[in-house]
Each structure stands twice: as C-alpha cells, then as structure tokens.
Amino acid sequence: MAETNDSPDIPIVPLIGVQKPAESLISPIDRRSDFYRHAALVVPHKPVPQPLMTLPNVLTFFRLLLVPVLLAVWEMQHRYTPTICAVLFISASVTDYFDGYLARKLKIATVFGAFLDPVADKIMVATALVLLAVSPPPPWSPQFMTAPVVLIICREITMSALREWAAAAGGGASKAVKVNTLGKWKTALQMVSMSVLLVVRQPLGDLMPERAGSSLFRHLSLSAYVGLWGGTVLGLWSLAIYFANVWVHFIYPEVSKKHH
C-alpha cells in the first residue's frame, strides 16, 4: 500500500478538523484505519471451503468414535475386557498426538479440526475417568477415585468456559489462556496414569500365568494413582495461572477491547 495520499487506488476519507498536510496513512490519529481494515477483510474472490476429511480430522473422528466402543466393551463379560479397554484408551491417546503432529507437519490444519480435537480429548478422558471411578483397579475402591476424578472433570469444564470467554473477549485475554508448560505436563501425566490404571484392572495371572502371584500390578497401580493425583495438582495449578493471567481482564474489561 502506498504511503501518500496521491494514489488513485486508495480512497481518501477526510478527517474532521485535520489539515490536509497532516493526513497520513500511518498517522495514529487517522480514523480512516477502520475503513482500510474493513476493506482488507473484503474477499475479492469466492471463499474456498476447507476440507473436513483431512487425515488429522479422520484421526480425531476415530478417537471420538472410540468412546461408544469403549463403553460397549466395558460392559462385556469377557475375561480380557480390562485389557481391551486399556488398548482402546491407549490407541485414542496415540491418535491425540498424531493428529496434531500431522496437522502441523503437513500444514493441513482446519478450523473444524481445531474445534473437534479438544472436544474429542475431553470426552474420551471424562469417559475413562468415570469408568475408573465406578470400577477402579485393586487395591483402590471407588471412594479413593472420587476426589481426583471430580477435580479433573471440574477443572476441564472450568478451563473450557474460561477459554470460551477469552475467545469472545479477544485481545490480551485470548493470548492469556494459551496452553502453558504445566498444562502439557498435566495432560501427559494424566494420560499415562489413566492408561496404567486401565491396564492393571486385568489380573496379571491372566496375561502371564507364570507370574500370577507377583505384586507387579499392585505396585504399578499404586504408582499410577499417585501419578493421577500429580496430574490433578498440576491441572489445578495451571488453572490458577490462567486465572491470574486473565484476572485483569475481568476487573478492567476495557483492556481486552483495546486489543481488538
């Protein structure tokens, strides 16, 4: 864009009370900025729709479809039902990594994929947490699983609401809820812990009869339970940081509006 007012391609919107020599396309007082911003948003050609069935989106759909499969298998009265459920959840966790990786690597990220990915994640995680709370592995009882499960689900609901509000507020509020390092560690720790808890629901003797009397799965269950609480604490900690980052936008909402 030219920086002079003589270009015939740039329509001039006069400024009230400003002499012509003082008019400038880069002037901070130039109220024509709204006009040029609007003109930049006008698409000169017909919009091209983004494809829905990209490889990353297919993986996300697959992860979402695993939820009813997991529920159906969980109710099966089969000897290896716990192991099958663990495999389903671990498979979903793997697709969670690869759909994001492929979207970035192949540069085929879509708006719909950005919406569906966190939805699929939260539905799968919430489903697995509820199932573990109903029927946890030994030596745990449902009472031991209630607190971390409720805290994790409540944290995710609150975080989703906070991101929705921040997206609507825009500007600095939207930037303040970008995923931080604690959030990534929280997710990794929770996924690993939940995977192990699902695996050790299967008696070790069913998988390795020669080690039927081993306490290996019991020790893994204890470690995974501690890890689940660790992920819970990290999740609450990261949520507190997100709230600290956006608190100024709650108290002074005009701060967000200035960054639109």
Side-chain angles (χ1 to χ4, degrees), residues 50-246:
Q50 288 186 331
L52 293 182
M53 301 309 291
T54 62
L55 181 56
N57 286 358
V58 169
L59 290 176
T60 305
F61 275 119
F62 174 73
R63 183 163 71 257
L64 198 56
L65 290 174
L66 284 180
V67 174
V69 176
L70 176 64
L71 290 172
V73 173
W74 189 275
E75 298 300 326
M76 291 172 54
Q77 300 300 320
H78 191 277
R79 181 180 180 181
Y80 294 104
T81 290
T83 299
I84 298 173
C85 289
V87 170
L88 289 173
F89 181 79
I90 293 171
S91 300
S93 302
V94 171
T95 64
D96 180 27
Y97 168 78
F98 277 106
D99 61 7
Y101 172 79
L102 290 173
R104 294 188 299 270
K105 187 71 173 179
L106 302 178
K107 297 181 180 180
I108 50 176
T110 63
V111 174
F112 182 70
F115 153 76
L116 189 64
D117 181 65
V119 172
D121 293 346
K122 287 175 173 53
I123 290 177
M124 173 57 77
V125 169
T127 300
L129 283 171
V130 171
L131 294 177
L132 282 171
V134 172
S135 180
W140 310 111
S141 65
Q143 288 76 13
F144 282 94
M145 294 296 299
T146 300
V149 168
V150 170
L151 288 173
I152 291 173
I153 293 177
C154 288
R155 186 267 182 196
E156 294 304 323
I157 293 173
T158 306
M159 194 66 235
S160 296
L162 185 63
R163 284 206 167 100
E164 181 181 355
W165 169 84
S174 182
K175 296 177 182 178
V177 294
K178 297 293 183 182
V179 177
N180 59 28
T181 304
L182 279 178
K184 294 179 180 179
W185 279 106
K186 175 270 302 181
T187 300
L189 193 53
Q190 286 179 358
M191 288 296 190
V192 172
S193 299
M194 292 169 62
S195 298
V196 174
L197 289 171
L198 287 169
V199 168
V200 298
R201 290 182 68 253
Q202 183 81 54
L204 182 59
D206 291 345
L207 302 176
M208 294 180 286
E210 68 280 5
R211 303 196 63 179
S214 173
S215 60
L216 173 63
F217 271 18
R218 182 181 180 87
H219 291 154
L220 287 175
S221 181
L222 293 171
S223 300
Y225 183 75
V226 173
L228 186 66
W229 265 112
T232 303
V233 172
L234 287 180
L236 296 176
W237 186 6
S238 65
L239 180 64
I241 292 176
Y242 288 128
F243 264 103
N245 290 341
V246 302

Side-chain angles (χ1 to χ4, degrees), residues 37 166-172 253-260:
R37 187 182 301 112
E254 64 272 13
V255 173
S256 295
K257 295 179 181 178
K258 290 180 180 179
H259 289 82
H260 273 293

